[in-house]
Amino acid sequence: MAVSAFLWFLFFFFFFFFFFFFFFFFFFFFFFFFFVIFVDGQCLDDQKKLLLEFKSELVHNSSTSHSFVNWNETGDCCIWGGVGCDNSGRVTDLNLNDEGISGVIGESSSLFRLTYLSNLDLAFNDFTTSEIPNQFHRLPNLAYLGLSYSGFVGPFPSTLANLTALVRLHLSSNFLTGSIPSFHTCKNLKFIDLSHNKLVGSLCHLHFLSLTNLTRLDLSYNSLNGTIPRHLFALPSLDDLDLSNNRFSGKIEEFTITNNTNLRQLDLSSNRIGGHIPNFFFQNPNMYILRLSDNLFNGSFQLNKIRSLTSLSELALSNNNLSVETTNMSLSSGGYPYLSTLHLSSCNLYDFPNLENLSLLHTLDLSNNHLRGDIPGWIWETAKAYLNLSFNLLTGLQKPKYVAGIPNSGDFAIFLGNNRLTGAIPSFICDASPFGVLDLSFNNLSGSIPPCLINKSFVSEVLNLRGNKISGVIPDRFSIECGLQTFDVSNNSLVGKVPKSLENCKSLVVVNVGNNNLEGSFPCMLPLSLRILLLRSNRFHGGLGCRKSWPNLQILDISSNNFSGSVKLLKFERNDAMESYKWIEVKLVKIWPDFTAIDLSSNHFRGEIPDAIGNLTSLYLLNLSHNSLTDAIPRSFGALTELGSLDLSSNKLTGRIPDELAKLTFLSVLNLSYNHLTGMIPTGPQFQTFSADSFRRNTRLCGFPLDRSCNSPHVPVPTPSEPKDEEIEWGYVFAASGYVVGIGIVAWTLLCCRRWRERYFGKIEEVVDKIFYERGRRRRHERRVRRREERRNGLRRHHH
């Protein structure tokens, strides 16, 4: 019994010992990992205070803000949206991207007292009245600064170059001015994006010389000038260099690359760089994208140089002064294996480069060259997304070897405009899969429009057949799936009406059927998406009555037709219950609020000019000439501050020219001639620049620039006197009766006596012959004298 009791004692002893041991261990573990760590990660009071002060300095849109709007006095600031802290509770990250924030960040902002901040992102906010403060040097730990797309203005802050810990700098798409400081002390920088600003000045060799870690430098879309330092091309870690769309000039100095650089993407397009293309561009086998278009590079360039760039995917040499030689190109040994994009526009090409069987090529631009003859059949199987052969001397299209090889993606864009293509549109085009864009404009194509181009949305976005000799009617086969955005068949010989099925194209933006022989009434069925409508020089007729509006319409040209009707001002208040609009032009305020051009000239419109046109504040061109419009020019035209051209000539307008027109300082073209305007021409800086032709044939206008002074005395017009009750003067009555009787006797004699009648008219013929003979003889004599005088003057000028 004693032994068993002792064993039970030992059992309970060790049980409670291990129980208390594990309980103590568990308590210690919980305290350390939950309580201690929780306390260490909790936001410090001074950090919370600074964040709330920063919030109070700015304005935010509560409907778009998701994080910033919820900052308040309660809770741990380290768990606020967009806030990150270190283990000590100090704020290190602020990610307020696209939070609807606006206002001004002042030089004394509490932001600059968050000295442990390493990542700051304020991109996609609205600081359009704010300059970037010069206090960022007070944030010594800042490694990421994102201020892109935030509307900052003013000079580029030079103190950013003092942030030695900076790794990524994003300041693109603002309105920054001034020059770029030297970043040679920021040795940790890997990414710099200053694109889409207004920066000026040149780059010196010190700007980025010591940035051995820099992988991307984007200075595109600024106004930087001078020559490009060649050391930029040799930075050891640089992968992407974009200096496009600036004003860089001069030549790029040639040098030998001793070590292979990592430069894979180089974009120097849209500058003023001249000289020969440097050879060292083609010594880097890692080059993936090379864009040199829109510069002043000159000389001859052998296209087979790109064979050394075994990774090259895109080459752009368009619009320089180059003569590209393609005769030595060879596709043997797997040349150009990754080439997918080739731009050789305006490169003085006379022959097609040998690009057959390039399996990855999808974009080819050979426009504006001297290519002639037929378009080779292999090109249909090569360019699979974009083909531009416009502005050449091409005359025909070869049929592709394999119809199945024609691109089968619906977004394929083909541009063959401004060539010399003849005959009907080839039928094999209809055997291909749908196109996104088909441009055959300004050729000599004839025949009719193939129904396949219309049916089943064969062309999904743009169909341009402008400037050919195409005849017949427009096929009425636009399907319900039509996604066409631009439909242009202008300057042809089409007849018939605008097809009603065009209403199926719900995304239609541009319709141009001008300069044809189309007829019918105004095409009211066109979709609401319409922005540009050109019906000029056809045979359309009738009024403009429609039961719907086009809220996005910006350009309307219906000139030189037979449209008619009144444009007299009616009510312009919004009336949603109105069942129809009697005249489209009457409801301009509601229907076309964003107009930039209206041309209703050379029709038969009558009545007053709608006063509501003055509410179209975006209007640039207004032409109402050659109609029968009456009454005064609306004073509301003074509100058209963007108006550059106004033509109201050849109407029946009356009254004075409104003084408000003299306030239109943007107006460069004015024609008020051939009306019945009166009074003094308004004076103003812009009005003083117009010639007398702008006001001719308004006989009661006066003042500059006409030679009629408004201060000259007018000849008084006699006023009719009051009628008097006087006796009839019978003497005048008898005299008038004598004249009547005498004329009657002569007329009766000539009518009844044939012999007298023949002799009478014979004498008249003799007199007429003499008159016209003498006049003709004098005119012939004057012409001979004039010609002799012109010959003498010509000989004198030749001797001089």
Side-chain angles (χ1 to χ4, degrees):
M1 290 292 294
V3 175
S4 61
F6 178 74
L7 291 175
W8 278 106
F9 172 77
L10 291 178
F11 173 76
F12 284 110
F13 174 79
F14 283 108
F15 175 79
F16 285 110
F17 174 79
F18 284 110
F19 175 78
F20 284 112
F21 175 79
F22 283 110
F23 177 79
F24 177 77
F25 180 80
F26 178 78
F27 178 78
F28 176 80
F29 177 85
F30 176 82
F31 177 82
F32 181 79
F33 285 96
F34 289 84
F35 179 76
V36 175
I37 293 178
F38 177 78
V39 172
D40 284 349
Q42 198 171 30
C43 178
L44 300 177
D45 290 339
D46 66 314
Q47 301 287 283
K48 177 190 286 188
K49 181 180 178 182
L50 291 174
L51 289 176
L52 292 175
E53 287 181 7
F54 179 58
K55 180 183 178 181
S56 65
E57 296 168 5
L58 302 173
V59 180
H60 64 275
N61 187 338
S62 58
S63 62
T64 57
S65 178
H66 305 288
S67 300
F68 196 63
V69 66
N70 295 319
W71 291 7
N72 53 56
E73 295 284 351
T74 61
D76 181 5
C77 72
C78 288
I79 61 174
W80 289 352
V83 179
C85 300
D86 61 12
N87 292 337
S88 300
R90 297 173 298 201
V91 176
T92 58
D93 298 272
L94 278 183
N95 184 3
L96 300 176
N97 187 306
D98 196 17
E99 282 288 320
I101 300 173
S102 60
V104 177
I105 301 177
E107 299 290 338
S108 59
S109 173
S110 57
L111 174 68
F112 304 115
R113 284 180 279 163
L114 295 168
T115 55
Y116 293 93
L117 204 60
S118 62
N119 296 299
L120 176 61
D121 191 352
L122 296 174
F124 293 96
N125 286 292
D126 184 10
F127 296 99
T128 50
T129 60
S130 175
E131 296 184 4
I132 296 179
N134 283 302
Q135 303 300 315
F136 279 100
H137 64 280
R138 294 166 56 186
L139 304 175
N141 299 304
L142 199 62
Y144 179 97
L145 179 59
L147 303 178
S148 299
Y149 295 93
S150 291
F152 283 105
V153 299
F156 189 97
S158 59
T159 54
L160 294 180
N162 299 329
L163 296 172
T164 57
L166 199 60
V167 176
R168 298 177 68 90
L169 177 62
H170 297 258
L171 299 180
S172 64
S173 301
N174 286 288
F175 302 95
L176 302 178
T177 58
S179 58
I180 300 173
S182 173
F183 287 95
H184 66 279
T185 60
C186 303
K187 301 183 185 300
N188 296 315
L189 267 173
K190 292 183 178 181
F191 191 106
I192 300 177
D193 187 355
L194 309 180
S195 62
H196 294 271
N197 279 286
K198 299 180 179 181
L199 301 173
V200 297
S202 59
L203 302 179
C204 71
H205 68 285
L206 293 177
H207 266 97
F208 311 101
L209 182 61
S210 59
L211 304 185
T212 57
N213 297 315
L214 191 65
T215 59
R216 175 173 170 78
L217 176 61
D218 190 348
L219 305 179
S220 61
Y221 291 92
N222 281 286
S223 298
L224 302 171
N225 54 33
T227 57
I228 299 174
R230 67 179 186 181
H231 80 270
L232 281 179
F233 305 108
L235 289 174
S237 300
L238 193 62
D239 174 84
D240 186 353
L241 176 60
D242 191 346
L243 304 178
S244 63
N245 292 277
N246 278 283
R247 299 177 182 175
F248 290 113
S249 58
K251 299 179 181 180
I252 298 176
E253 297 181 18
E254 193 73 71
F255 73 99
T256 303
I257 298 178
T258 56
N259 299 317
N260 286 339
T261 65
N262 290 317
L263 191 61
R264 300 180 70 247
Q265 301 184 50
L266 176 61
D267 192 346
L268 303 180
S269 59
S270 299
N271 280 286
R272 302 170 182 174
I273 306 169
H276 293 278
I277 298 177
N279 288 322
F280 71 83
F281 286 176
F282 306 96
Q283 297 173 7
N284 180 12
N286 297 320
M287 189 71 73
Y288 181 70
I289 294 176
L290 180 59
R291 297 177 182 144
L292 305 176
S293 297
D294 300 289
N295 276 288
L296 301 175
F297 288 113
N298 54 45
S300 179
F301 178 80
Q302 298 292 332
L303 194 57
N304 62 0
K305 281 186 177 182
I306 66 175
R307 289 180 59 83
S308 61
L309 305 180
T310 55
S311 300
L312 189 65
S313 173
E314 179 180 343
L315 175 65
L317 301 178
S318 298
N319 303 317
N320 282 282
N321 296 322
L322 294 169
S323 293
V324 175
E325 299 290 338
T326 63
T327 53
N328 295 326
M329 288 190 68
S330 174
L331 295 177
S332 60
S333 303
Y336 328 111
Y338 300 106
L339 192 62
S340 62
T341 301
L342 181 61
H343 293 275
L344 297 178
S345 176
S346 303
C347 285
N348 289 307
L349 291 173
Y350 287 85
D351 299 297
F352 280 92
N354 187 5
L355 304 173
E356 193 171 0
N357 299 324
L358 286 184
S359 60
L360 296 182
L361 188 67
H362 61 74
T363 299
L364 178 61
D365 186 356
L366 302 179
S367 62
N368 201 25
N369 282 291
H370 309 287
L371 303 175
R372 62 191 66 209
D374 289 345
I375 299 172
W378 58 259
I379 209 164
W380 300 96
E381 291 111 41
T382 302
K384 300 177 180 64
Y386 177 93
L387 175 63
N388 192 347
L389 300 178
S390 59
F391 292 95
N392 278 287
L393 306 173
L394 301 167
T395 55
L397 292 85
Q398 291 182 6
K399 188 174 182 179
K401 296 179 181 178
Y402 308 102
V403 174
I406 297 179
N408 56 11
S409 61
D411 58 353
F412 180 46
I414 178 170
F415 298 87
L416 302 180
N418 291 275
N419 277 284
R420 299 177 180 178
L421 302 177
T422 58
I425 298 175
S427 60
F428 70 80
I429 287 184
C430 294
D431 297 329
S433 296
F435 293 94
V437 176
L438 180 60
D439 183 357
L440 299 174
S441 61
F442 296 105
N443 281 284
N444 294 313
L445 296 171
S446 56
S448 59
I449 300 176
C452 71
L453 298 185
I454 304 297
N455 195 22
K456 295 182 180 179
S457 300
F458 182 80
V459 180
S460 61
E461 295 181 12
V462 176
L463 177 59
N464 189 353
L465 304 178
R466 181 181 186 184
N468 283 283
K469 299 176 181 178
I470 300 173
S471 57
V473 300
I474 303 173
D476 194 4
R477 296 190 179 184
F478 292 93
S479 68
I480 195 68
E481 297 92 8
C482 175
L484 207 61
Q485 298 176 20
T486 296
F487 180 65
D488 192 341
V489 292
S490 60
N491 295 84
N492 281 286
S493 301
L494 296 169
V495 296
K497 299 180 179 181
V498 177
K500 188 177 186 304
S501 61
L502 200 58
E503 66 180 337
N504 293 329
C505 304
K506 303 301 183 183
S507 300
L508 204 58
V509 176
V510 178
V511 172
N512 187 359
V513 297
N515 296 95
N516 280 287
N517 297 311
L518 299 174
E519 57 186 11
S521 58
F522 189 86
C524 294
M525 73 292 183
L526 294 175
L528 302 180
S529 56
L530 203 63
R531 288 184 177 272
I532 298 175
L533 177 59
L534 307 176
L535 306 179
R536 67 177 300 134
S537 300
N538 278 285
R539 300 175 182 176
F540 293 107
H541 56 81
L544 304 181
C546 293
R547 293 180 177 272
K548 64 180 180 181
S549 62
W550 289 270
N552 301 314
L553 199 59
Q554 291 180 277
I555 296 177
L556 174 68
D557 186 349
I558 60 173
S559 60
S560 301
N561 280 284
N562 295 314
F563 287 117
S564 61
S566 173
V567 291
K568 185 178 180 180
L569 178 62
L570 297 177
K571 295 181 179 180
F572 288 90
E573 64 271 16
R574 184 179 180 91
N575 185 3
D576 294 330
M578 185 177 291
E579 295 181 358
S580 64
Y581 304 122
K582 186 174 181 181
W583 303 108
I584 287 181
E585 66 274 22
V586 171
K587 298 295 295 182
L588 288 171
V589 174
K590 180 179 177 181
I591 297 178
W592 301 324
D594 297 321
F595 249 130
T596 57
I598 301 177
D599 192 342
L600 308 181
S601 62
S602 301
N603 280 286
H604 307 293
F605 292 117
R606 64 182 183 274
E608 297 178 7
I609 298 175
D611 189 69
I613 291 179
N615 293 322
L616 306 177
T617 54
S618 299
L619 196 62
Y620 175 76
L621 180 147
L622 177 60
N623 189 348
L624 304 177
S625 64
H626 297 276
N627 282 288
S628 299
L629 301 174
T630 57
D631 295 297
I633 301 173
R635 294 185 177 275
S636 63
F637 281 14
L640 302 177
T641 56
E642 302 293 325
L643 195 63
S645 177
L646 176 62
D647 191 346
L648 304 178
S649 62
S650 300
N651 279 287
K652 299 176 181 179
L653 300 175
T654 58
R656 297 174 60 89
I657 299 174
D659 292 335
E660 287 80 1
L661 292 186
K663 302 175 183 178
L664 301 179
T665 57
F666 198 56
L667 195 65
S668 59
V669 176
L670 176 67
N671 192 353
L672 303 179
S673 61
Y674 293 92
N675 278 287
H676 306 299
L677 300 171
T678 61
M680 182 177 180
I681 297 173
T683 58
Q686 195 69 12
F687 256 58
Q688 306 304 112
T689 64
F690 298 124
S691 66
D693 289 338
S694 297
F695 309 96
R696 65 185 303 182
R697 294 298 181 96
N698 287 277
T699 56
R700 299 182 66 184
L701 274 181
C702 60
F704 185 84
L706 301 179
D707 55 3
R708 292 191 294 272
S709 172
C710 296
N711 297 323
S712 60
H714 296 285
V715 179
V717 179
T719 57
S721 57
E722 293 292 330
K724 296 181 180 179
D725 296 331
E726 295 182 352
E727 295 182 357
I728 299 175
E729 297 287 343
W730 290 104
Y732 293 113
V733 173
F734 290 140
S737 300
Y739 283 115
V740 171
V741 171
I743 293 174
I745 293 172
V746 173
W748 179 261
T749 303
L750 293 176
L751 183 64
C752 297
C753 185
R754 178 179 179 182
R755 185 168 57 88
W756 283 21
R757 186 167 65 249
E758 290 176 350
R759 295 178 65 180
Y760 176 77
F761 285 110
K763 289 293 183 181
I764 291 178
E765 288 177 359
E766 290 179 8
V767 174
V768 171
D769 287 341
K770 288 182 180 180
I771 291 173
F772 283 100
Y773 173 77
E774 290 297 325
R775 181 181 298 175
R777 188 176 63 83
R778 285 197 301 271
R779 288 182 177 176
R780 289 193 293 272
H781 176 70
E782 290 172 356
R783 283 198 295 267
R784 286 195 294 270
V785 171
R786 193 182 306 113
R787 288 172 183 164
R788 286 197 295 269
E789 188 65 27
E790 290 175 353
R791 290 195 192 99
R792 293 194 193 100
N793 293 335
L795 290 173
R796 291 193 191 100
R797 287 194 297 269
H798 178 72
H799 289 306
H800 288 308

